[in-house]
Amino acid sequence: MSTFDDPFDAERGLPRSPCACGQHRSAAEHEQAAPALRCEPVQSDDKRYEAVVASAVMRAVFPKDAARRAFLKSVGASTALAALSQFFPIKAATEAFADAGAPEKKDLKVGFIPITCATPIIMAAPLGFYAKHGLNVEVVKTAGWAVIRDKTINKEYDASHMLAPMPIAISLGLGAQPIPFAVPAIENINGQGIVLAIKHKDRREPKDWKGMKFAIPFDYSMHNYLLRYYLAEHGLDPDTDVQLRSVPPPEMVANLRADNIDGFLAPDNICQRAIYDGVGFLHIPVAASPRAANSSRRRRTASPR
C-alpha cells in the first residue's frame, strides 16, 4: 500500500496494489479515470501532509485489514478521523511534518555505483529535485561496494547508494566497528540475473557447475545470498563446490570476457551489457524471493536466445 493511499476507504484492502496516484483501487481503474480527468493530485500541500500523517496513524492503529475495514464500515471515515484525532495530535504532527525548516547541511556528496537502481540519485540533480529542497549535491561515481562502504564510514560521503544488506552489516559491526545507519529510501527490488559465459551455453543445469567461478557484487549483498540459495537448491555446496568472488559490478563483464570467471549474479544493466557484448547469456532472471526465482526458472526456455 502506498504512503499516499487512503486507509480510510473501507472497500480497499491493504495488500492490493494501488494506482500511481493513490486515488484508485487498481491500475485499471486509474486508466479508466484518466481520460475523464478524475485522477488529479491533491492541490494543497497542507491537505497532502495531513493525509500522509492520518494514513500512517490509521495503519498503525489497525494493522489488520479486516479490523480496519469493519471499523470504517461501522463509523465512517469522518468519524474515524475524528476519533483518531482525539488521542493523536494529527494537526500538530502535520504542521511539524510540513515545516521541515532549512536543511542542516546544504552541500552534500552522495556516492553511487553505475547500475540501474542509482537512477533516482543521478537524475535528481538535472531534474532539479535537489535544488528544489535547497541542496547542492555532488553525485560521485564509485568503483565498488567496498569503496562505497569505506568512504561512507570515513564520512567522505554524506549519503550513499548501497546494497540492502550493507547498512545492516555496518550497524552490526560486521567487518568494522558498529556504526548506526539509517535507510531513508528503498530504490528498487528484483531486477537481478545469473549470467554465464557463452562457452557454457550447453551447461544449463546448475548441477553441472561444480568447479566454476562466479562473481558477486559484495559479500554483504542480496546477490551473494540469492546465488548461494540457488546453488544449494540444486545440490551444490556454495562454499566448496564453486568459487564465489566479490567483484565490482562495472568490472564483471571484463572479467567474464577475460575468462577470469564463468558467470555472475548481478544487477540488470550489467547482465544486459554482457549479452550486448556477446560474452555471456542470461541463464535466469532472479527475484528477491527465491520462490519467484524458481517460478521464473520453470518458465524459461531450454536454450538461450
Short mmCIF file of all heavy atoms in Angstrom, two decimals, residues 145 163 192-197 200 209 211-228 230-231 238 242-267 270-271 274 286:
data_model
loop_
_atom_site.label_atom_id
_atom_site.label_comp_id
_atom_site.label_asym_id
_atom_site.label_seq_id
_atom_site.Cartn_x
_atom_site.Cartn_y
_atom_site.Cartn_z
N TRP A 145 31.45 -1.60 -4.16
CA TRP A 145 30.69 -1.50 -2.91
C TRP A 145 31.60 -1.38 -1.70
O TRP A 145 31.26 -0.72 -0.72
CB TRP A 145 29.76 -2.71 -2.77
CG TRP A 145 28.70 -2.76 -3.82
CD1 TRP A 145 28.55 -3.69 -4.80
CD2 TRP A 145 27.64 -1.81 -3.99
NE1 TRP A 145 27.46 -3.38 -5.59
CE2 TRP A 145 26.88 -2.24 -5.12
CE3 TRP A 145 27.25 -0.66 -3.32
CZ2 TRP A 145 25.76 -1.55 -5.57
CZ3 TRP A 145 26.14 0.04 -3.77
CH2 TRP A 145 25.41 -0.42 -4.88
N LEU A 163 23.79 -1.52 -1.25
CA LEU A 163 23.04 -2.77 -1.28
C LEU A 163 22.28 -2.90 0.03
O LEU A 163 22.76 -2.48 1.09
CB LEU A 163 24.00 -3.95 -1.44
CG LEU A 163 24.83 -3.96 -2.73
CD1 LEU A 163 25.97 -4.95 -2.60
CD2 LEU A 163 23.96 -4.31 -3.92
N GLN A 192 17.58 -8.62 -10.94
CA GLN A 192 18.89 -9.26 -10.97
C GLN A 192 18.85 -10.43 -11.95
O GLN A 192 17.79 -10.87 -12.39
CB GLN A 192 19.29 -9.77 -9.58
CG GLN A 192 18.88 -8.89 -8.42
CD GLN A 192 19.45 -7.48 -8.50
OE1 GLN A 192 20.59 -7.29 -8.93
NE2 GLN A 192 18.68 -6.50 -8.08
N GLY A 193 20.01 -10.98 -12.26
CA GLY A 193 20.05 -12.13 -13.15
C GLY A 193 21.35 -12.90 -13.01
O GLY A 193 22.36 -12.35 -12.57
N ILE A 194 21.30 -14.19 -13.36
CA ILE A 194 22.50 -15.02 -13.41
C ILE A 194 22.94 -15.10 -14.87
O ILE A 194 22.17 -15.52 -15.74
CB ILE A 194 22.24 -16.43 -12.86
CG1 ILE A 194 21.87 -16.36 -11.37
CG2 ILE A 194 23.48 -17.32 -13.05
CD1 ILE A 194 21.52 -17.72 -10.77
N VAL A 195 24.15 -14.67 -15.13
CA VAL A 195 24.73 -14.68 -16.47
C VAL A 195 25.87 -15.69 -16.50
O VAL A 195 26.70 -15.74 -15.59
CB VAL A 195 25.23 -13.28 -16.87
CG1 VAL A 195 26.11 -13.35 -18.12
CG2 VAL A 195 24.05 -12.35 -17.12
N LEU A 196 25.93 -16.48 -17.56
CA LEU A 196 27.02 -17.43 -17.77
C LEU A 196 27.79 -17.04 -19.03
O LEU A 196 27.24 -16.42 -19.95
CB LEU A 196 26.48 -18.85 -17.93
CG LEU A 196 25.78 -19.48 -16.73
CD1 LEU A 196 25.30 -20.88 -17.10
CD2 LEU A 196 26.67 -19.53 -15.51
N ALA A 197 29.06 -17.42 -19.07
CA ALA A 197 29.87 -17.19 -20.27
C ALA A 197 29.30 -18.00 -21.43
O ALA A 197 28.75 -19.08 -21.24
CB ALA A 197 31.32 -17.58 -20.00
N HIS A 200 29.56 -21.72 -21.89
CA HIS A 200 28.77 -22.63 -21.06
C HIS A 200 27.32 -22.71 -21.54
O HIS A 200 26.44 -23.12 -20.79
CB HIS A 200 28.78 -22.16 -19.60
CG HIS A 200 30.14 -22.18 -18.97
ND1 HIS A 200 30.93 -23.30 -18.94
CD2 HIS A 200 30.83 -21.20 -18.32
CE1 HIS A 200 32.06 -23.02 -18.31
NE2 HIS A 200 32.03 -21.76 -17.94
N TRP A 209 27.68 -27.28 -12.66
CA TRP A 209 28.54 -26.11 -12.46
C TRP A 209 29.65 -26.33 -11.44
O TRP A 209 30.35 -25.39 -11.07
CB TRP A 209 27.69 -24.92 -12.00
CG TRP A 209 26.69 -24.46 -13.01
CD1 TRP A 209 26.53 -24.90 -14.29
CD2 TRP A 209 25.70 -23.46 -12.82
NE1 TRP A 209 25.49 -24.24 -14.90
CE2 TRP A 209 24.96 -23.33 -14.02
CE3 TRP A 209 25.35 -22.65 -11.74
CZ2 TRP A 209 23.91 -22.44 -14.17
CZ3 TRP A 209 24.30 -21.75 -11.88
CH2 TRP A 209 23.60 -21.65 -13.10
N GLY A 211 32.96 -26.62 -9.66
CA GLY A 211 34.28 -26.15 -10.05
C GLY A 211 34.29 -24.80 -10.75
O GLY A 211 35.36 -24.25 -11.02
N MET A 212 33.11 -24.25 -11.05
CA MET A 212 33.05 -22.97 -11.75
C MET A 212 33.27 -21.80 -10.80
O MET A 212 33.11 -21.92 -9.59
CB MET A 212 31.71 -22.84 -12.47
CG MET A 212 31.58 -23.80 -13.66
SD MET A 212 29.93 -23.85 -14.43
CE MET A 212 29.73 -22.17 -15.00
N LYS A 213 33.67 -20.67 -11.36
CA LYS A 213 33.93 -19.45 -10.60
C LYS A 213 32.85 -18.42 -10.91
O LYS A 213 32.61 -18.11 -12.08
CB LYS A 213 35.32 -18.88 -10.95
CG LYS A 213 36.47 -19.82 -10.66
CD LYS A 213 37.80 -19.19 -10.97
CE LYS A 213 38.03 -19.03 -12.47
NZ LYS A 213 38.20 -20.31 -13.14
N PHE A 214 32.23 -17.87 -9.85
CA PHE A 214 31.15 -16.90 -10.02
C PHE A 214 31.50 -15.60 -9.30
O PHE A 214 32.09 -15.61 -8.20
CB PHE A 214 29.83 -17.44 -9.45
CG PHE A 214 29.21 -18.52 -10.28
CD1 PHE A 214 29.49 -19.85 -10.02
CD2 PHE A 214 28.36 -18.21 -11.33
CE1 PHE A 214 28.93 -20.86 -10.78
CE2 PHE A 214 27.80 -19.21 -12.10
CZ PHE A 214 28.08 -20.53 -11.83
N ALA A 215 31.11 -14.50 -9.91
CA ALA A 215 31.29 -13.19 -9.29
C ALA A 215 29.99 -12.72 -8.65
O ALA A 215 28.90 -12.96 -9.18
CB ALA A 215 31.75 -12.17 -10.33
N ILE A 216 30.12 -12.08 -7.50
CA ILE A 216 29.01 -11.43 -6.82
C ILE A 216 29.45 -10.01 -6.51
O ILE A 216 30.65 -9.74 -6.38
CB ILE A 216 28.62 -12.18 -5.52
CG1 ILE A 216 29.87 -12.40 -4.66
CG2 ILE A 216 27.93 -13.50 -5.84
CD1 ILE A 216 29.59 -13.00 -3.30
N PRO A 217 28.53 -9.05 -6.38
CA PRO A 217 28.95 -7.67 -6.15
C PRO A 217 29.64 -7.43 -4.81
O PRO A 217 30.52 -6.59 -4.71
CB PRO A 217 27.63 -6.89 -6.22
CG PRO A 217 26.74 -7.74 -7.05
CD PRO A 217 27.11 -9.15 -6.70
N PHE A 218 29.23 -8.17 -3.76
CA PHE A 218 29.76 -7.88 -2.43
C PHE A 218 29.40 -9.04 -1.51
O PHE A 218 28.42 -9.75 -1.75
CB PHE A 218 29.17 -6.56 -1.90
CG PHE A 218 29.91 -5.95 -0.76
CD1 PHE A 218 31.25 -5.61 -0.86
CD2 PHE A 218 29.26 -5.67 0.44
CE1 PHE A 218 31.93 -5.03 0.19
CE2 PHE A 218 29.92 -5.08 1.50
CZ PHE A 218 31.25 -4.76 1.37
N ASP A 219 30.17 -9.23 -0.45
CA ASP A 219 29.85 -10.30 0.50
C ASP A 219 28.51 -10.06 1.18
O ASP A 219 27.71 -10.99 1.34
CB ASP A 219 30.95 -10.42 1.56
CG ASP A 219 32.25 -10.97 0.98
OD1 ASP A 219 32.20 -11.60 -0.09
OD2 ASP A 219 33.32 -10.75 1.58
N TYR A 220 28.28 -8.81 1.60
CA TYR A 220 27.01 -8.47 2.24
C TYR A 220 26.07 -7.90 1.17
O TYR A 220 25.83 -6.70 1.08
CB TYR A 220 27.22 -7.48 3.39
CG TYR A 220 28.15 -8.03 4.43
CD1 TYR A 220 29.42 -7.50 4.61
CD2 TYR A 220 27.77 -9.11 5.22
CE1 TYR A 220 30.29 -8.02 5.56
CE2 TYR A 220 28.64 -9.64 6.16
CZ TYR A 220 29.89 -9.09 6.33
OH TYR A 220 30.74 -9.61 7.26
N SER A 221 25.58 -8.83 0.35
CA SER A 221 24.79 -8.46 -0.81
C SER A 221 23.68 -9.49 -1.00
O SER A 221 23.89 -10.69 -0.80
CB SER A 221 25.69 -8.43 -2.05
OG SER A 221 24.94 -8.48 -3.23
N MET A 222 22.53 -9.02 -1.41
CA MET A 222 21.44 -9.91 -1.76
C MET A 222 21.88 -10.92 -2.82
O MET A 222 21.47 -12.09 -2.81
CB MET A 222 20.25 -9.10 -2.27
CG MET A 222 19.07 -9.90 -2.76
SD MET A 222 17.75 -8.85 -3.38
CE MET A 222 18.51 -8.26 -4.90
N HIS A 223 22.75 -10.49 -3.72
CA HIS A 223 23.22 -11.35 -4.81
C HIS A 223 23.97 -12.55 -4.26
O HIS A 223 23.82 -13.67 -4.77
CB HIS A 223 24.11 -10.55 -5.75
CG HIS A 223 23.56 -9.23 -6.13
ND1 HIS A 223 23.67 -8.12 -5.31
CD2 HIS A 223 22.86 -8.82 -7.22
CE1 HIS A 223 23.07 -7.09 -5.90
NE2 HIS A 223 22.58 -7.49 -7.05
N ASN A 224 24.78 -12.34 -3.25
CA ASN A 224 25.52 -13.42 -2.61
C ASN A 224 24.56 -14.46 -2.05
O ASN A 224 24.68 -15.67 -2.30
CB ASN A 224 26.41 -12.86 -1.50
CG ASN A 224 27.25 -13.92 -0.83
OD1 ASN A 224 27.42 -15.03 -1.33
ND2 ASN A 224 27.79 -13.60 0.33
N TYR A 225 23.54 -13.98 -1.31
CA TYR A 225 22.59 -14.89 -0.67
C TYR A 225 21.71 -15.60 -1.71
O TYR A 225 21.42 -16.80 -1.58
CB TYR A 225 21.73 -14.13 0.34
CG TYR A 225 22.55 -13.34 1.34
CD1 TYR A 225 22.27 -12.01 1.61
CD2 TYR A 225 23.64 -13.93 1.98
CE1 TYR A 225 23.04 -11.28 2.51
CE2 TYR A 225 24.41 -13.21 2.87
CZ TYR A 225 24.11 -11.89 3.14
OH TYR A 225 24.88 -11.17 4.02
N LEU A 226 21.29 -14.88 -2.73
CA LEU A 226 20.45 -15.49 -3.75
C LEU A 226 21.20 -16.58 -4.52
O LEU A 226 20.65 -17.64 -4.81
CB LEU A 226 19.94 -14.43 -4.73
CG LEU A 226 18.86 -13.48 -4.22
CD1 LEU A 226 18.60 -12.38 -5.23
CD2 LEU A 226 17.58 -14.23 -3.91
N LEU A 227 22.46 -16.29 -4.86
CA LEU A 227 23.24 -17.29 -5.61
C LEU A 227 23.50 -18.52 -4.75
O LEU A 227 23.42 -19.66 -5.23
CB LEU A 227 24.56 -16.68 -6.09
CG LEU A 227 25.44 -17.59 -6.94
CD1 LEU A 227 24.67 -18.11 -8.16
CD2 LEU A 227 26.71 -16.87 -7.38
N ARG A 228 23.80 -18.30 -3.48
CA ARG A 228 24.01 -19.43 -2.57
C ARG A 228 22.74 -20.29 -2.47
O ARG A 228 22.81 -21.52 -2.48
CB ARG A 228 24.43 -18.93 -1.20
CG ARG A 228 25.87 -18.41 -1.14
CD ARG A 228 26.21 -17.81 0.21
NE ARG A 228 27.60 -17.42 0.28
CZ ARG A 228 28.58 -18.25 0.63
NH1 ARG A 228 28.29 -19.50 0.96
NH2 ARG A 228 29.83 -17.84 0.66
N TYR A 230 20.33 -20.53 -4.65
CA TYR A 230 20.06 -21.18 -5.93
C TYR A 230 20.95 -22.40 -6.12
O TYR A 230 20.51 -23.47 -6.55
CB TYR A 230 20.28 -20.18 -7.06
CG TYR A 230 19.89 -20.69 -8.43
CD1 TYR A 230 18.56 -20.77 -8.80
CD2 TYR A 230 20.86 -21.09 -9.34
CE1 TYR A 230 18.19 -21.23 -10.06
CE2 TYR A 230 20.51 -21.55 -10.60
CZ TYR A 230 19.17 -21.62 -10.95
OH TYR A 230 18.82 -22.08 -12.20
N LEU A 231 22.24 -22.27 -5.78
CA LEU A 231 23.17 -23.38 -5.92
C LEU A 231 22.81 -24.52 -4.97
O LEU A 231 22.80 -25.69 -5.35
CB LEU A 231 24.60 -22.90 -5.65
CG LEU A 231 25.20 -21.92 -6.67
CD1 LEU A 231 26.51 -21.36 -6.15
CD2 LEU A 231 25.39 -22.59 -8.01
N PRO A 238 27.78 -24.07 -1.93
CA PRO A 238 28.39 -22.83 -2.43
C PRO A 238 29.76 -22.52 -1.83
O PRO A 238 30.50 -21.70 -2.37
CB PRO A 238 27.37 -21.75 -2.06
CG PRO A 238 26.55 -22.35 -0.97
CD PRO A 238 26.52 -23.82 -1.22
N VAL A 242 31.86 -24.52 -5.68
CA VAL A 242 32.14 -23.42 -6.61
C VAL A 242 32.99 -22.38 -5.89
O VAL A 242 33.14 -22.43 -4.66
CB VAL A 242 30.85 -22.76 -7.13
CG1 VAL A 242 29.98 -23.77 -7.87
CG2 VAL A 242 30.08 -22.11 -6.00
N GLN A 243 33.52 -21.44 -6.65
CA GLN A 243 34.25 -20.31 -6.07
C GLN A 243 33.40 -19.05 -6.25
O GLN A 243 32.95 -18.76 -7.36
CB GLN A 243 35.60 -20.12 -6.76
CG GLN A 243 36.57 -21.26 -6.57
CD GLN A 243 37.90 -20.97 -7.26
OE1 GLN A 243 38.43 -19.85 -7.19
NE2 GLN A 243 38.43 -21.97 -7.95
N LEU A 244 33.20 -18.31 -5.17
CA LEU A 244 32.48 -17.05 -5.22
C LEU A 244 33.46 -15.91 -4.98
O LEU A 244 34.17 -15.90 -3.96
CB LEU A 244 31.36 -17.02 -4.17
CG LEU A 244 30.29 -18.12 -4.29
CD1 LEU A 244 29.22 -17.92 -3.23
CD2 LEU A 244 29.67 -18.13 -5.68
N ARG A 245 33.50 -14.96 -5.89
CA ARG A 245 34.43 -13.84 -5.80
C ARG A 245 33.66 -12.53 -5.75
O ARG A 245 32.72 -12.34 -6.53
CB ARG A 245 35.38 -13.84 -7.00
CG ARG A 245 36.24 -15.09 -7.14
CD ARG A 245 37.13 -15.00 -8.36
NE ARG A 245 38.01 -16.15 -8.46
CZ ARG A 245 38.88 -16.33 -9.45
NH1 ARG A 245 38.96 -15.43 -10.43
NH2 ARG A 245 39.65 -17.39 -9.48
N SER A 246 34.10 -11.65 -4.90
CA SER A 246 33.49 -10.32 -4.83
C SER A 246 34.14 -9.43 -5.89
O SER A 246 35.34 -9.17 -5.84
CB SER A 246 33.70 -9.73 -3.43
OG SER A 246 33.09 -8.46 -3.34
N VAL A 247 33.32 -8.99 -6.86
CA VAL A 247 33.82 -8.18 -7.98
C VAL A 247 32.89 -6.99 -8.16
O VAL A 247 31.67 -7.17 -8.22
CB VAL A 247 33.85 -9.01 -9.29
CG1 VAL A 247 34.29 -8.14 -10.47
CG2 VAL A 247 34.76 -10.22 -9.14
N PRO A 248 33.41 -5.77 -8.25
CA PRO A 248 32.53 -4.61 -8.50
C PRO A 248 31.74 -4.83 -9.79
O PRO A 248 32.32 -5.27 -10.80
CB PRO A 248 33.51 -3.44 -8.63
CG PRO A 248 34.72 -3.88 -7.86
CD PRO A 248 34.81 -5.37 -8.06
N PRO A 249 30.45 -4.52 -9.79
CA PRO A 249 29.62 -4.76 -10.99
C PRO A 249 30.20 -4.20 -12.29
O PRO A 249 30.17 -4.91 -13.32
CB PRO A 249 28.28 -4.10 -10.62
CG PRO A 249 28.22 -4.23 -9.14
CD PRO A 249 29.63 -4.04 -8.66
N PRO A 250 30.77 -2.97 -12.31
CA PRO A 250 31.29 -2.47 -13.58
C PRO A 250 32.45 -3.29 -14.15
O PRO A 250 32.79 -3.15 -15.32
CB PRO A 250 31.75 -1.04 -13.23
CG PRO A 250 30.94 -0.67 -12.04
CD PRO A 250 30.80 -1.94 -11.26
N GLU A 251 33.08 -4.14 -13.31
CA GLU A 251 34.22 -4.93 -13.77
C GLU A 251 33.84 -6.36 -14.15
O GLU A 251 34.67 -7.14 -14.61
CB GLU A 251 35.30 -4.96 -12.68
CG GLU A 251 35.86 -3.60 -12.32
CD GLU A 251 36.85 -3.65 -11.18
OE1 GLU A 251 37.31 -4.76 -10.84
OE2 GLU A 251 37.17 -2.58 -10.62
N MET A 252 32.57 -6.72 -13.95
CA MET A 252 32.17 -8.13 -14.15
C MET A 252 32.25 -8.55 -15.61
O MET A 252 32.72 -9.65 -15.92
CB MET A 252 30.76 -8.34 -13.61
CG MET A 252 30.68 -8.37 -12.10
SD MET A 252 29.00 -8.73 -11.56
CE MET A 252 29.26 -8.83 -9.79
N VAL A 253 31.79 -7.72 -16.52
CA VAL A 253 31.79 -8.09 -17.94
C VAL A 253 33.22 -8.28 -18.44
O VAL A 253 33.52 -9.23 -19.18
CB VAL A 253 31.04 -7.04 -18.78
CG1 VAL A 253 31.14 -7.37 -20.27
CG2 VAL A 253 29.58 -6.96 -18.35
N ALA A 254 34.12 -7.40 -18.03
CA ALA A 254 35.52 -7.53 -18.43
C ALA A 254 36.12 -8.82 -17.90
O ALA A 254 36.89 -9.50 -18.60
CB ALA A 254 36.32 -6.33 -17.94
N ASN A 255 35.79 -9.19 -16.67
CA ASN A 255 36.30 -10.44 -16.10
C ASN A 255 35.71 -11.65 -16.81
O ASN A 255 36.39 -12.67 -16.97
CB ASN A 255 35.98 -10.49 -14.60
CG ASN A 255 37.00 -9.78 -13.75
OD1 ASN A 255 38.01 -10.36 -13.36
ND2 ASN A 255 36.75 -8.50 -13.46
N LEU A 256 34.45 -11.54 -17.23
CA LEU A 256 33.83 -12.64 -17.98
C LEU A 256 34.51 -12.79 -19.34
O LEU A 256 34.81 -13.91 -19.78
CB LEU A 256 32.33 -12.36 -18.15
CG LEU A 256 31.46 -13.54 -18.61
CD1 LEU A 256 31.39 -14.61 -17.53
CD2 LEU A 256 30.05 -13.05 -18.94
N ARG A 257 34.79 -11.66 -19.98
CA ARG A 257 35.44 -11.68 -21.29
C ARG A 257 36.86 -12.25 -21.19
O ARG A 257 37.32 -12.97 -22.07
CB ARG A 257 35.49 -10.26 -21.87
CG ARG A 257 36.12 -10.18 -23.25
CD ARG A 257 36.24 -8.76 -23.75
NE ARG A 257 34.94 -8.16 -24.02
CZ ARG A 257 34.37 -7.22 -23.29
NH1 ARG A 257 34.99 -6.75 -22.20
NH2 ARG A 257 33.19 -6.72 -23.60
N ALA A 258 37.54 -11.91 -20.08
CA ALA A 258 38.92 -12.38 -19.89
C ALA A 258 39.00 -13.81 -19.37
O ALA A 258 40.10 -14.31 -19.11
CB ALA A 258 39.65 -11.44 -18.93
N ASP A 259 37.87 -14.45 -19.18
CA ASP A 259 37.79 -15.84 -18.70
C ASP A 259 38.27 -15.98 -17.25
O ASP A 259 38.71 -17.06 -16.83
CB ASP A 259 38.60 -16.77 -19.61
CG ASP A 259 38.11 -18.21 -19.55
OD1 ASP A 259 36.92 -18.42 -19.23
OD2 ASP A 259 38.92 -19.12 -19.78
N ASN A 260 38.20 -14.89 -16.49
CA ASN A 260 38.55 -14.96 -15.06
C ASN A 260 37.42 -15.56 -14.24
O ASN A 260 37.64 -16.05 -13.13
CB ASN A 260 38.88 -13.57 -14.53
CG ASN A 260 40.12 -13.00 -15.17
OD1 ASN A 260 41.03 -13.73 -15.55
ND2 ASN A 260 40.17 -11.67 -15.30
N ILE A 261 36.20 -15.48 -14.76
CA ILE A 261 35.03 -16.04 -14.09
C ILE A 261 34.18 -16.78 -15.12
O ILE A 261 34.32 -16.55 -16.33
CB ILE A 261 34.17 -14.95 -13.40
CG1 ILE A 261 33.74 -13.87 -14.41
CG2 ILE A 261 34.91 -14.33 -12.22
CD1 ILE A 261 32.81 -12.82 -13.85
N ASP A 262 33.34 -17.67 -14.64
CA ASP A 262 32.46 -18.42 -15.53
C ASP A 262 31.06 -17.82 -15.59
O ASP A 262 30.27 -18.15 -16.49
CB ASP A 262 32.35 -19.87 -15.04
CG ASP A 262 33.68 -20.60 -15.13
OD1 ASP A 262 34.12 -20.90 -16.26
OD2 ASP A 262 34.29 -20.85 -14.07
N GLY A 263 30.75 -16.96 -14.63
CA GLY A 263 29.43 -16.34 -14.60
C GLY A 263 29.33 -15.39 -13.43
O GLY A 263 30.27 -15.23 -12.65
N PHE A 264 28.17 -14.73 -13.32
CA PHE A 264 27.95 -13.82 -12.20
C PHE A 264 26.47 -13.66 -11.95
O PHE A 264 25.63 -13.94 -12.81
CB PHE A 264 28.62 -12.46 -12.45
CG PHE A 264 28.19 -11.74 -13.70
CD1 PHE A 264 26.95 -11.11 -13.79
CD2 PHE A 264 29.04 -11.67 -14.80
CE1 PHE A 264 26.56 -10.43 -14.93
CE2 PHE A 264 28.66 -11.00 -15.96
CZ PHE A 264 27.42 -10.38 -16.03
N LEU A 265 26.16 -13.21 -10.75
CA LEU A 265 24.79 -12.78 -10.41
C LEU A 265 24.89 -11.30 -10.12
O LEU A 265 25.59 -10.89 -9.19
CB LEU A 265 24.25 -13.56 -9.20
CG LEU A 265 22.71 -13.53 -9.06
CD1 LEU A 265 22.25 -14.66 -8.14
CD2 LEU A 265 22.18 -12.21 -8.54
N ALA A 266 24.20 -10.50 -10.92
CA ALA A 266 24.40 -9.05 -10.86
C ALA A 266 23.14 -8.31 -11.25
O ALA A 266 22.17 -8.91 -11.71
CB ALA A 266 25.55 -8.66 -11.78
N PRO A 267 23.16 -6.96 -11.10
CA PRO A 267 22.00 -6.15 -11.50
C PRO A 267 21.79 -6.17 -13.01
O PRO A 267 22.68 -6.50 -13.79
CB PRO A 267 22.38 -4.74 -11.01
CG PRO A 267 23.46 -4.94 -10.01
CD PRO A 267 24.19 -6.17 -10.43
N ILE A 270 24.13 -4.73 -15.93
CA ILE A 270 25.38 -5.46 -16.09
C ILE A 270 25.12 -6.74 -16.89
O ILE A 270 25.89 -7.11 -17.78
CB ILE A 270 26.00 -5.81 -14.72
CG1 ILE A 270 26.16 -4.54 -13.87
CG2 ILE A 270 27.33 -6.51 -14.89
CD1 ILE A 270 27.04 -3.48 -14.48
N CYS A 271 24.00 -7.39 -16.59
CA CYS A 271 23.62 -8.58 -17.35
C CYS A 271 23.43 -8.23 -18.83
O CYS A 271 23.92 -8.92 -19.73
CB CYS A 271 22.32 -9.18 -16.80
SG CYS A 271 22.40 -9.70 -15.07
N ALA A 274 26.70 -7.72 -20.77
CA ALA A 274 27.37 -8.96 -21.16
C ALA A 274 26.71 -9.57 -22.39
O ALA A 274 27.38 -10.08 -23.30
CB ALA A 274 27.35 -9.94 -19.99
N VAL A 286 16.61 -13.41 -11.64
CA VAL A 286 16.47 -13.82 -10.25
C VAL A 286 15.78 -12.73 -9.47
O VAL A 286 16.21 -11.57 -9.46
CB VAL A 286 17.85 -14.11 -9.61
CG1 VAL A 286 17.68 -14.57 -8.17
CG2 VAL A 286 18.57 -15.19 -10.40
#
